[in-house]
Amino acid sequence: MGWLVICGWQAILAGSAYLGGNMILALATLTHPNYTPELWQGTLVYWAVMAVSIGINTVFSKVLPKIESFILGLHLGGFLAILIPLVYLAPEKASAHEVFAVFENGGGWPTTTLSVFVGLLGSVFATYGTDCAVHMAEEIHGANIVIPWCMLSTTLLNGVLGFAMLVALLFVTVDIDSVLESPTGALGFPFMQVFRDATGSRGGATAMICIIIIMMICASIAFLATSSRIVFAFGRDRGLPFSRTMATVQSSTAIPLHAIFVMALVSCLIGLINIGSATAFNAVISLGVSSLYSSYVLTEALLLYHRIRGTIRSPCQMSNSTWHANELVWGPFHVPGIWGILLNTFAVGYGIIVIIFSVFPQVVNPDPAHMNYSCLVTGAIMLFAVVYYFVYARKVYSGPVVEIAPLQIA
């Protein structure tokens, strides 16, 4: 499962930097209609985004928490800065019936229901990564309480803001086909044309788009921080090649410098693929959803299994007893009883649905450029992990390293 998590986060990191870089090129297309971006230009801007992420996570690592606080303020302020002019300035709006009752089956699927499930991938892509804070737990005070609240609050906040923005976009998008066929729509960013049409101003649309580009670059910064901690932890468990190097922490900054550079280097090398073929690049980063949700489902299924069996002990049962490293004990934040079982059951079912449809192409009978290769890439990662375990890792890997406080040891 460790390999699935690492490769999934590698895909998220590469994907966020790729989107940020290509948004910059799409914005150039919007402001300069005669400009046509080249693949190599996309890779160069992609590398520039990665360079910013590396700098913040290394040179300016001590101020990373303050930068994250600034990002939160920009996130909330940017939401209002986009939503208000988008709705107020739009010269024409769709009706409520068109927004909430009309469904488009652009992929040519046999039923609208199937089309909705295939389109679920877009919503999943926009909301996954909530577990960022989990992988930073060793650097957070009171992590067993702070992190669950952080995950719940960010999911609720972004869910509400995202839904509000989605509804607003649907109301101001009167002609979907023309937006999709626009120059920015052809590059995969039709929202830019929506901003241009709604505001009637190229400058106003540019300012709104810049907010989203900055947020995407900030996401790359956070994803690099998170993914490097995963590599560090798995290296400490001796589950990776060169594990001792991956588990090294720089004494002066207390950051896993080698892990940061490895994740960044791999992302930059992946960017080279885009110069030759955007299809091949998308095939590599497509494993993000399928691999991460596979790891989620495995974890949730095991938790559900132990919930039903009742093998997870409460802290009060641990008094005056030996605390074994592999023993499951409830933390201060959990949903007990039947409600916890129902929530875990729902999570497993939802995760399975996401995994199934994450390997579907967006259209029926796709050509090679529009094929979804996530099943192939995820399967290759799993095969490599199994081979690596039997060839070498089983000799050194004995499970996750568990750090226990002195008071927990009898």
Side-chain angles (χ1 to χ4, degrees):
M1 187 170 69
W3 279 95
L4 286 174
V5 175
I6 288 177
C7 292
W9 275 99
Q10 180 68 76
I12 293 176
L13 173 60
S16 63
Y18 177 77
L19 286 176
N22 278 269
M23 282 183 186
I24 295 174
L25 296 181
L27 177 58
T29 302
L30 180 69
T31 55
H32 299 81
N34 294 327
Y35 169 68
T36 301
E38 301 289 342
L39 290 177
W40 64 268
Q41 294 172 334
T43 297
L44 288 179
V45 182
Y46 167 89
W47 284 346
V49 174
M50 286 304 308
V52 172
S53 303
I54 295 170
I56 297 297
N57 277 278
T58 55
V59 180
F60 301 101
S61 61
K62 292 183 178 180
V63 296
L64 182 59
K66 295 181 180 179
I67 294 175
E68 295 288 355
S69 299
F70 166 76
I71 294 173
L72 175 60
L74 179 64
H75 180 49
L76 297 176
F79 169 77
L80 297 176
I82 293 175
L83 183 68
I84 293 174
L86 184 67
V87 175
Y88 181 76
L89 296 176
E92 188 178 0
K93 296 181 178 68
S95 66
H97 173 78
E98 291 174 318
V99 171
F100 296 107
V102 177
F103 296 88
E104 298 283 346
N105 185 355
W109 296 98
T111 65
T112 302
T113 302
L114 181 58
S115 179
V116 168
F117 276 102
V118 173
L120 181 67
L121 187 62
S123 300
V124 172
F125 179 82
T127 56
Y128 73 172
T130 309
D131 56 325
C132 266
V134 174
H135 307 296
M136 306 289 289
E138 296 183 45
E139 302 171 44
I140 299 175
H141 295 290
N144 55 353
I145 295 177
V146 172
I147 289 179
W149 277 115
C150 178
M151 294 177 65
L152 284 175
S153 60
T154 53
T155 300
L156 179 62
L157 175 66
N158 290 315
V160 171
L161 297 184
F163 182 74
M165 186 63 71
L166 175 62
V167 172
L169 279 171
L170 290 175
F171 269 108
V172 301
T173 306
V174 179
D175 189 348
I176 295 179
D177 292 332
S178 65
V179 169
L180 293 175
E181 294 170 0
S182 66
T184 58
L187 293 174
F189 304 106
F191 75 89
M192 294 185 180
Q193 187 63 43
V194 174
F195 288 2
R196 175 69 175 84
D197 295 340
T199 61
S201 167
R202 185 175 296 172
T206 298
M208 296 162 65
I209 294 168
C210 284
I211 295 174
I212 298 178
I213 292 174
I214 293 172
M215 292 305 304
M216 187 57 66
I217 296 174
C218 291
S220 299
I221 296 171
F223 291 158
L224 179 57
T226 298
S227 59
S228 64
R229 270 56 175 189
I230 299 172
V231 171
F232 158 76
F234 203 34
R236 182 180 55 187
D237 298 338
R238 306 185 74 179
L240 291 174
F242 310 105
S243 57
R244 294 185 184 276
T245 303
M246 297 300 101
T248 302
V249 175
Q250 190 180 36
S251 58
S252 60
T253 59
I255 62 171
L257 198 60
H258 293 136
I260 291 174
F261 283 132
V262 165
M263 293 300 286
L265 176 61
V266 173
S267 295
C268 290
L269 292 176
I270 292 175
L272 289 172
I273 302 174
N274 184 59
I275 298 177
S277 171
T279 301
F281 177 85
N282 290 327
V284 174
I285 67 173
S286 65
L287 64 91
V289 173
S290 58
S291 60
L292 272 189
Y293 268 82
S294 295
S295 68
Y296 295 162
V297 168
L298 286 172
T299 304
E300 292 156 357
L302 289 173
L303 177 59
L304 178 61
Y305 170 77
H306 286 287
R307 272 186 181 273
I308 295 174
R309 290 193 61 194
T311 54
I312 307 178
R313 302 174 68 181
S314 63
C316 62
Q317 296 174 318
M318 300 302 297
S319 58
N320 300 320
S321 63
T322 301
W323 193 312
H324 301 289
N326 294 321
E327 191 163 13
L328 298 176
V329 182
W330 287 119
F333 196 104
H334 72 281
V335 180
I338 185 64
W339 292 108
I341 293 176
L342 291 176
L343 282 173
N344 278 152
T345 302
F346 173 80
V348 171
Y350 173 75
I352 291 174
I353 291 174
V354 170
I355 292 172
I356 291 174
F357 287 99
S358 70
V359 300
F360 273 55
Q362 292 299 300
V363 297
V364 177
N365 300 321
D367 56 28
H370 296 88
M371 185 59 187
N372 188 337
Y373 296 95
S374 61
C375 181
L376 173 63
V377 180
T378 303
I381 294 298
M382 295 177 68
L383 178 61
F384 172 81
V386 171
V387 172
Y388 176 73
Y389 175 79
F390 283 105
V391 171
Y392 176 73
R394 64 188 178 92
K395 303 173 185 177
V396 296
Y397 178 76
S398 58
V401 173
V402 180
E403 296 180 351
I404 303 176
L407 294 178
Q408 295 174 324
I409 303 176

